[in-house]
Amino acid sequence: GRRSNLILLDEEGRVIDCLRRVDAEMSASRQVLPGLYYHLPPTQGKCSPWDASEQDLLALLGAQKTQKMADFFLLETFGGLSPLLCRELAYTVFGQVGLDLSQLTDAQREDAAGKLFAAFDQLHTGKRTPVILVRDERPWDFTCIPIRQYEDLITQEPQPSFSALLDTFYAKRDSLERMRQKTQALSF
């Protein structure tokens, strides 16, 4: 992402070096420079999906009184989940991505809280499979679990490791981009 960084710290928590240096001009509240102590970024106020009990999930679902789509609820409520993963969890738990949570009955909320708790537990403790998602013969996205929400619109290419996933995904995208640039240059 735009704000991604790689920071190397010593045993005392001081920054040895970083890919993107952030000085006082760039951020008055959080500088990242060699020699300074590293401080974690401010929290976004999101819950950890691994710490939420089934009762917590039931309460969060019950608090949705205005229109709120299931995938957006998961994305804004829980930290560490990508938009793709939130859509897949919504699809798994509710049978669709765009379900309005404010329309659920009490029984549906209880059922959803149980399914969501089980899905979070499976995601946290279960086997994760590095998968590249391919759409129109192009690498489109990648994830840590097989994706069902798109059915036959995408193909899934399991990878032997997450390192191999990233190498393959970005190598293919880079190759396709270079081909597109060369084709564009030839067409002028």
Side-chain angles (χ1 to χ4, degrees):
R2 284 185 336 191
R3 296 189 177 153
S4 298
N5 203 350
L6 181 63
I7 304 167
L8 182 62
L9 305 177
D10 67 13
E11 57 278 343
E12 294 175 0
R14 285 185 188 263
V15 176
I16 296 172
D17 208 350
C18 52
L19 286 180
R20 295 185 187 186
R21 295 180 179 194
V22 180
D23 61 19
E25 261 183 43
M26 298 167 82
S27 173
S29 61
R30 188 169 175 264
Q31 289 83 47
V32 181
L33 296 168
L36 297 179
Y37 282 103
Y38 176 75
H39 300 285
L40 289 171
T43 64
Q44 297 175 331
K46 294 184 178 184
C47 304
S48 167
W50 322 137
D51 295 338
S53 69
E54 196 169 332
Q55 289 304 314
D56 294 335
L57 297 171
L58 183 58
L60 288 166
L61 289 168
Q64 305 310 308
K65 303 298 183 198
T66 59
Q67 185 176 10
K68 179 77 59 133
M69 296 303 126
D71 60 330
F72 187 71
F73 161 78
L74 292 169
L75 187 62
E76 76 173 9
T77 305
F78 298 100
L81 301 177
S82 70
L84 173 67
L85 203 49
C86 288
R87 286 190 305 273
E88 185 63 21
L89 286 168
Y91 182 80
T92 300
V93 171
F94 302 105
Q96 58 180 306
V97 175
L99 177 76
D100 179 3
L101 296 179
S102 68
Q103 301 299 311
L104 294 177
T105 65
D106 290 341
Q108 289 172 322
R109 278 190 201 96
E110 281 189 42
D111 182 55
K115 287 179 179 177
L116 190 56
F117 181 77
F120 281 161
D121 185 55
Q122 177 63 32
L123 188 60
H124 186 59
T125 61
K127 184 175 184 257
R128 285 176 276 304
T129 305
V131 178
I132 294 177
L133 306 177
V134 179
R135 183 171 66 183
D136 300 327
E137 299 180 24
R138 296 175 180 273
W140 175 61
D141 209 342
F142 55 85
T143 187
C144 61
I145 60 172
I147 300 296
R148 299 181 349 205
Q149 64 184 302
Y150 299 115
E151 298 173 356
D152 295 335
L153 297 176
I154 61 165
T155 56
Q156 300 185 50
E157 297 178 356
Q159 300 296 305
S161 70
F162 285 99
S163 293
L165 174 143
L166 294 173
D167 285 346
T168 303
F169 180 83
Y170 287 107
K172 284 183 177 180
R173 283 189 60 169
D174 184 52
S175 174
L176 288 167
E177 178 60 22
R178 279 183 291 166
M179 180 68 76
R180 185 192 68 76
Q181 288 173 355
K182 288 179 181 179
T183 303
Q184 191 175 24
L186 289 173
S187 65
F188 286 118

